[in-house]
């Protein structure tokens, strides 16, 4: 029994050994046969296409979120005699030189590919993938994309077929994408008609239209939508569109006298659509001083989506137009005046003392700037006084005070008395009800012959302190007889040029100091 098993085991071992030798032999022969077919001469590479210009086979196309890809094949006349590389280069001039019906030439980065491919020993064909961006397809939708690739610089002395080292490929955009797959950028609130819908901004509807304002700017927020399937994030610009506004004015679609701002008045941010998002909100800020510089005119602004990093803009819904009516938005119109709050600015200042100066942006008579100083040679320097650099700067009248350095070279003379000194501004105002308010730091006893008043009158000047309050041009005044808010209201039945400010008659040691003024208006309904 043992002998029987031993004999059978020997037979099995002999059979397995014979089988292993046979397989090894057969495999060695296949490898040798394969190697024998490889020529020792360098290979000749070419694109495996029948002609120079070839259409991409749509069946080979693979769609991704933001690109499509398809294979391109390189052929060798004979199997490669070694492993080597060959470079791939875009050839835009070759693509441009071809006549392709309804063609649109694209270049990197609208299409991309490897910088080189490796051809392995013994192979006759190698393929690489070309990617075309969805953005390029959509920007040129309805056309045939045209692009060219060239083989260059094969390593290890390999050769190129000069007649077929380049290929021009065409890709039908309508074959690779359906219209409902396209990614269009648009403003949610934009009009889809050629004349645009103008959004009129007034105080009651600011919140509904995502608009607001502060002392620095008028802010509008708008939602931007991306149609189609969301993909990787990208940016697009928002441009100020004065041309659209001019066309609307020419067509009578904006009110007569509407002011059109310049691009310099805008602070615009790019639209940043994050990864895999179909909407976002962009902020558009308008310099509020630019609006008040045109007061009381209505102001029109227009914003257009432009230059997306990818995809395309829906032209029918790419522009927002707003009409800003300041008479129905801004109750505080102090910005129609100049230099109204601390720190006050000066047009000139006493070079010796540095305390007294002349207010910038205000008007005066000679009694409005009565302070002087002596130079080091005891020559009088100028006339100052409407500006006082003390107490964080202030509008000022002062009389009678003797300076500590009086009579010394470079010192200050005694403040003279003031008779009807005037500090004021003149501005054109529309019909309406107004309130002029002065924040007074120090006032004086006032009656109809002396003291100080905050006052307004129609015309280019303000009345004297003793003038009657009944003339047709007088609109309002309040005595400055103490500190705190000193205000008065007035109503204009029609647009008028109005002067407003301060008049003072002071003697002895008296001073009036004002730290700021405001002008407010009852909103139009």
């Amino acid at each position: 029994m043992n002998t029987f098993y031993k004999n059978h085991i020997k037979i099995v071992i002999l059979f397995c050994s014979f089988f292993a030798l046979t397989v090894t032999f057969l495999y060695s022969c296949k490898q040798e046969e394969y190697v024998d077919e490889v020529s020792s001469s360098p290979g000749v590479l070419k694109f495996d296409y029948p002609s120079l210009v070839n259409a991409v086979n749509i069946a080979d196309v693979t769609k991704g979120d933001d690109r499509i890809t398809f294979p391109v094949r390189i052929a060798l006349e004979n199997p490669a005699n070694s492993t080597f590389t060959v470079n791939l280069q875009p050839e835009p001039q070759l693509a441009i030189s071809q006549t392709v019906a309804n063609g649109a030439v694209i270049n990197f980065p609208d299409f991309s590919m490897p910088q080189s491919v490796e051809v392995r020993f013994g192979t006759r064909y190698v393929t690489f993938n070309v990617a075309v961006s969805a953005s390029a397809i959509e920007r040129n939708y309805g056309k045939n994309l045209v692009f060219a690739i060239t083989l260059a610089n094969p390593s290890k002395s390999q050769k190129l077929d000069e007649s077929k080292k380049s290929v021009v490929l065409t890709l039908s955009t309508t074959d690779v994408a359906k219209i409902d797959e396209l990614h269009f950028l648009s403003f949610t609130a934009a009009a889809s008609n050629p004349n645009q819908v103008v959004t009129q901004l007034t105080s009651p509807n600011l919140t509904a239209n995502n608009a607001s304002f502060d002392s620095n700017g008028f802010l509008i927020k708008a939602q931007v939508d991306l149609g189609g399937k969301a993909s990787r994030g990208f940016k697009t610009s928002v441009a100020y569109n004065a041309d659209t506004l001019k066309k609307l004015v020419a067509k009578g679609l904006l009110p007569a006298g509407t002011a059109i701002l310049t691009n310099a008045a805008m602070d615009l941010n790019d639209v940043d659509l994050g990864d895999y998002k179909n909407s976002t909100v962009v902020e558009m800020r308008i310099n509020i001083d630019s609006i008040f510089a045109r007061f009381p005119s209505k102001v029109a602004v227009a914003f257009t989506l432009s230059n997306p990093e990818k995809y395309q803009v829906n032209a029918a819904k790419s522009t927002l137009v707003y009409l800003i009516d300041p008479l129905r938005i801004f109750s505080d119109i102090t910005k129609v005046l100049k230099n109204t709050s601390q720190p006050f600015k000066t047009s000139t200042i006493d070079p010796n003392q540095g305390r007294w100066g002349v207010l910038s942006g205000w008007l005066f008579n000679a009694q409005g700037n009565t302070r002087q100083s002596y130079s080091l040679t005891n020559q009088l320097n100028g006339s100052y006084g409407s500006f006082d650099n003390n107490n964080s700067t202030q509008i000022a009248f002062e009389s009678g005070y003797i300076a500590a350095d009086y009579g010394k070279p470079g010192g200050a003379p005694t403040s003279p008395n003031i008779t009807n000194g005037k500090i004021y501004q003149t501005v054109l105002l529309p019909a309406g009800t107004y309130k002029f308010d002065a924040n007074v730091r120090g006032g004086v006893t006032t009656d109809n012959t002396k003291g100080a008043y905050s006052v307004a009158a129609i015309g280019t000047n303000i009345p004297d302190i003793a003038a009657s309050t009944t003339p047709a041009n007088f609109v309002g005044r309040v005595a400055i007889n103490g500190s705190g808010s000193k205000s008065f209201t007035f109503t204009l039945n029609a647009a008028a040029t109005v002067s407003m400010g301060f008049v003072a008659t002071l003697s002895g040691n008296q001073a009036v100091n004002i730290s700021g003024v405001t002008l407010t208006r009852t909103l139009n309904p």
Side-chain angles (χ1 to χ4, degrees):
M1 192 71 174
N2 289 340
T3 303
F4 173 80
Y5 278 112
K6 286 180 181 179
N7 291 334
H8 278 74
I9 290 170
K10 289 179 181 179
I11 293 170
V12 170
I13 291 172
L14 288 172
F15 175 80
C16 289
S17 299
F18 175 79
F19 179 77
L21 289 171
T22 303
V23 170
T24 302
F25 173 79
L26 290 173
Y27 179 77
S28 299
C29 288
K30 186 175 182 181
Q31 289 284 10
E32 289 173 7
E33 182 181 18
Y34 177 77
V35 172
D36 286 345
E37 292 180 358
V38 177
S39 170
S40 61
S41 301
V44 179
L45 293 120
K46 62 182 179 179
F47 279 108
D48 190 26
Y49 288 93
S51 59
L52 175 62
V53 181
N54 302 271
V56 174
N57 185 353
I58 300 303
D60 292 337
V61 170
T62 301
K63 289 186 179 181
D65 284 342
D66 56 2
R67 69 193 66 197
I68 61 102
T69 59
F70 56 88
V72 174
R73 192 159 84 154
I74 302 170
L76 288 82
E77 287 185 351
N78 298 302
N81 65 354
S82 63
T83 297
F84 65 93
T85 59
V86 61
N87 293 339
L88 305 173
Q89 298 176 351
E91 194 70 38
Q93 292 304 315
L94 177 60
I96 292 170
S97 68
Q98 305 305 306
T99 301
V100 176
N102 199 25
V105 174
I106 62 170
N107 195 13
F108 179 85
D110 283 336
F111 83 94
S112 58
M113 59 195 171
Q115 292 184 334
S116 63
V117 293
E118 183 182 69
V119 181
R120 291 186 176 276
F121 171 80
T123 58
R124 286 197 59 192
Y125 300 98
V126 63
T127 62
F128 62 91
N129 281 334
V130 172
V132 177
S133 72
S135 177
I137 293 169
E138 296 186 17
R139 288 199 317 271
N140 299 282
Y141 194 73
K143 297 183 178 181
N144 293 309
L145 302 184
V146 184
F147 48 101
I149 306 170
T150 291
L151 302 174
N153 303 319
S155 63
K156 297 185 179 178
S157 302
Q158 305 297 319
K159 303 297 183 182
L160 297 175
D161 182 336
E162 292 297 323
S163 66
K164 301 195 76 174
K165 70 177 183 178
S166 300
V167 65
V168 177
L169 299 172
T170 66
L171 179 67
S172 170
T173 57
T174 55
D175 285 344
V176 295
K178 304 305 179 186
I179 191 70
D180 58 357
E181 296 176 323
L182 301 186
H183 297 78
F184 284 104
L185 281 166
S186 62
F187 279 121
T188 307
S192 56
N193 67 74
N195 289 327
Q196 302 294 335
V197 169
V198 179
T199 301
Q200 299 198 37
L201 296 178
T202 63
S203 184
N205 72 7
L206 288 184
T207 301
N209 287 292
N210 299 307
S212 61
F213 63 90
D214 55 28
S215 60
N216 297 316
F218 193 94
L219 179 67
I220 300 173
K221 296 181 180 180
Q223 181 169 313
V224 177
D225 295 325
L226 175 66
K229 184 179 179 181
S231 61
R232 293 182 180 89
F234 65 98
K235 292 182 179 181
T236 188
S237 299
V238 176
Y240 180 61
N241 193 337
D243 288 341
T244 289
L245 298 175
K246 292 174 183 176
K247 292 175 183 176
L248 294 176
V249 169
K251 293 177 179 179
L253 296 174
L254 287 173
T258 295
I260 297 175
L261 301 182
T262 65
N263 190 60
M266 307 299 147
D267 182 8
L268 303 178
N269 298 316
D270 285 343
V271 179
D272 191 350
L273 205 67
D275 288 347
Y276 301 100
K277 290 185 178 180
N278 280 99
S279 66
T280 191
V281 173
V282 64
E283 295 185 351
M284 298 160 290
R285 185 175 290 273
I286 307 161
N287 183 289
I288 205 163
D289 290 336
S290 299
I291 297 174
F292 276 103
R294 283 119 177 123
F295 186 87
S297 296
K298 294 180 176 67
V299 173
V301 293
F303 307 103
T304 296
L305 296 170
S306 63
N307 301 319
E309 291 178 341
K310 61 181 180 179
Y311 305 135
Q312 58 184 328
V313 171
N314 180 352
K317 297 194 68 178
S318 64
T319 300
L320 292 173
V321 181
Y322 296 93
L323 184 64
I324 301 170
D325 186 349
L327 300 183
R328 300 176 67 191
I329 293 176
F330 305 111
S331 59
D332 186 340
I333 62 167
T334 307
K335 284 185 175 289
V336 303
L337 303 174
K338 300 175 182 177
N339 197 20
T340 58
S341 62
Q342 296 173 323
F344 289 100
K345 300 178 179 63
T346 62
S347 58
T348 184
I349 196 164
D350 179 353
N352 291 335
Q353 299 293 317
R355 174 180 175 182
W356 300 101
V358 176
L359 279 169
S360 173
W362 290 75
L363 302 171
F364 324 91
N365 62 2
Q367 290 288 299
N369 286 288
T370 58
R371 294 302 304 244
Q372 293 181 309
S373 70
Y374 287 111
S375 70
L376 295 177
T377 57
N378 280 339
Q379 299 295 313
L380 283 173
N381 285 323
S383 295
Y384 315 98
S386 57
F387 168 87
D388 184 352
N389 207 19
N390 280 359
N391 302 306
S392 302
T393 71
Q394 53 197 353
I395 300 171
F397 296 98
E398 185 174 296
S399 69
Y401 289 96
I402 299 176
D405 57 1
Y406 171 72
K408 299 177 181 178
T414 300
S415 304
N417 293 337
I418 298 172
T419 302
N420 288 314
K422 297 177 182 181
I423 302 172
Y424 63 99
Q425 293 192 41
T426 299
V427 63
L428 176 64
L429 297 176
T433 298
Y434 298 84
K435 179 181 179 181
F436 184 63
D437 192 348
N439 185 15
V440 177
R441 181 177 174 273
V444 293
T445 300
T446 297
D447 57 33
N448 286 332
T449 61
K450 64 183 184 302
Y453 283 96
S454 175
V455 62
I458 294 173
T460 57
N461 205 341
I462 56 176
D464 292 344
I465 203 166
S468 169
T469 60
T470 57
N473 71 328
F474 179 84
V475 294
R477 75 175 184 177
V478 64
I480 304 176
N481 53 10
S483 61
S485 171
K486 303 297 178 180
S487 65
F488 61 89
T489 61
F490 61 94
T491 298
L492 302 176
N493 294 322
T497 296
V498 178
S499 295
M500 62 193 75
F502 311 100
V503 59
T505 293
L506 307 178
S507 61
N509 295 344
Q510 289 188 308
V512 174
N513 305 122
I514 297 155
S515 57
V517 300
T518 60
L519 179 63
T520 56
R521 181 182 183 281
T522 302
L523 292 178
N524 284 5

